[in-house]
Amino acid sequence: MSRFRSLLQASVNATKKALTWNVEEWVPPAEKHIFKFHSKEDLKKWHLYSDSEYGGLSSASLEIPDKGDGSDCTGIFSGNLSVDLSEGSKWNISRSGFCGMRSKKFDGFIDLDGYDAIALRLKGDGRCYISTIYTENWVNSPGQAEDNSWQVFVFAPKDNWYIAKIPLSRYLPTWRGNVIDVEMEMNPGRVLGMSLSVNAEGGAVGAKSGAGDFRVEIDWIKALRLP
């Protein structure tokens, strides 16, 4: 009987060890780099858009400055927001004054399941920017080519580097810039892309708003597991 108990205990210990090993294998790292903005090659993963595609007069650029002192380079998303429309525009848009940078689609998708937040390291101009996550389309219009979008405002303090940590639960489902008034959850396991945009309407109370220049420096975007 004692031999049987010894074998049983050994089996239980081995099972516990195996389960512990499997759990550790499945726990993702504390953070996961999604994008960095340190070279011209990094910027090739993004494309720009603005209201100028629809008759607006806003403009934007995304570039890497050559500092020349050996220090790390970071991307600069900048431009000018205009609420005016070009004369004779054939487009009938309800609002202008927006610019954005959107990542090109991943080869497949990126799996952020197991992470709780998105972090962006920014140095801004006092404006509010909009962080968007695009996921596989199954909420708004299944079978359509347009991705689902989830958005949240990100305040970029002026002239100081700042790490914005945004829980995924704060991202709201949107349709063409408008929040969908229904409760639903993002599927972080099927992320197709991301964007960072700005509009003249502003965002958070106290943030800079209105037409005019904008500028935000961006170092990286990561996914985080919060403690």
Side-chain angles (χ1 to χ4, degrees):
M1 181 64 71
S2 59
R3 183 180 179 185
F4 173 77
R5 287 177 178 172
S6 298
L7 289 172
L8 182 60
Q9 187 61 50
S11 176
V12 169
N13 291 340
T15 301
K16 286 182 178 179
K17 185 177 180 181
L19 287 173
T20 302
W21 179 83
N22 286 333
V23 168
E24 290 174 351
E25 282 291 303
W26 282 101
V27 172
E31 62 180 43
K32 179 176 184 174
H33 273 274
I34 305 173
F35 293 107
K36 56 187 176 66
F37 301 84
H38 299 162
S39 69
K40 291 182 178 179
E41 284 299 311
D42 293 335
L43 300 195
K44 289 180 180 179
K45 299 176 182 178
W46 296 80
H47 65 84
L48 297 169
Y49 63 90
S50 72
D51 59 27
S52 62
E53 300 171 27
Y54 309 99
L57 297 174
S58 300
S59 60
S61 66
L62 178 61
E63 58 187 359
I64 292 277
D66 185 7
K67 295 186 177 180
D69 58 2
S71 59
D72 291 338
C73 294
T74 49
I76 297 177
F77 173 48
S78 63
N80 182 268
L81 298 173
S82 172
V83 295
D84 298 324
L85 297 176
S86 58
E87 289 187 25
S89 172
K90 65 179 181 179
W91 298 97
N92 183 22
I93 58 175
S94 59
R95 60 183 176 181
S96 57
F98 63 87
C99 295
M101 48 181 276
R102 177 169 176 169
S103 67
K104 296 176 181 177
K105 283 197 173 184
F106 301 114
D107 183 13
F109 57 87
I110 184 169
D111 185 358
L112 298 184
D113 204 13
Y115 290 93
D116 309 299
I118 294 296
L120 304 91
R121 186 170 187 261
L122 307 166
K123 181 164 70 172
D125 54 2
R127 286 187 183 269
C128 253
Y129 290 77
I130 302 170
S131 170
T132 305
I133 298 175
Y134 300 97
T135 58
E136 194 171 55
N137 192 327
W138 62 273
V139 174
N140 297 330
S141 50
Q144 300 298 314
E146 193 167 349
D147 307 326
N148 291 146
S149 58
W150 307 77
Q151 298 183 315
V152 69
F153 282 116
V154 181
F155 178 64
K158 186 176 180 179
D159 300 330
N160 290 309
W161 281 106
Y162 169 70
I163 298 178
K165 298 179 181 179
I166 312 155
L168 291 176
S169 59
R170 284 187 53 197
Y171 281 82
L172 300 177
T174 62
W175 172 248
R176 297 183 179 178
N178 297 309
V179 174
I180 301 173
D181 189 17
V182 62
E183 288 197 16
M184 57 183 67
E185 291 186 5
M186 180 196 303
N187 180 4
R190 310 288 287 189
V191 174
L192 299 173
M194 296 184 173
S195 73
L196 188 69
S197 59
V198 60
N199 64 55
E201 295 176 359
V205 176
K208 180 181 177 181
S209 62
D213 294 339
F214 69 89
R215 185 182 189 278
V216 63
E217 225 171 314
I218 180 165
D219 188 2
W220 45 252
I221 300 175
K222 299 178 182 179
L224 301 179
R225 282 196 301 112
L226 298 178

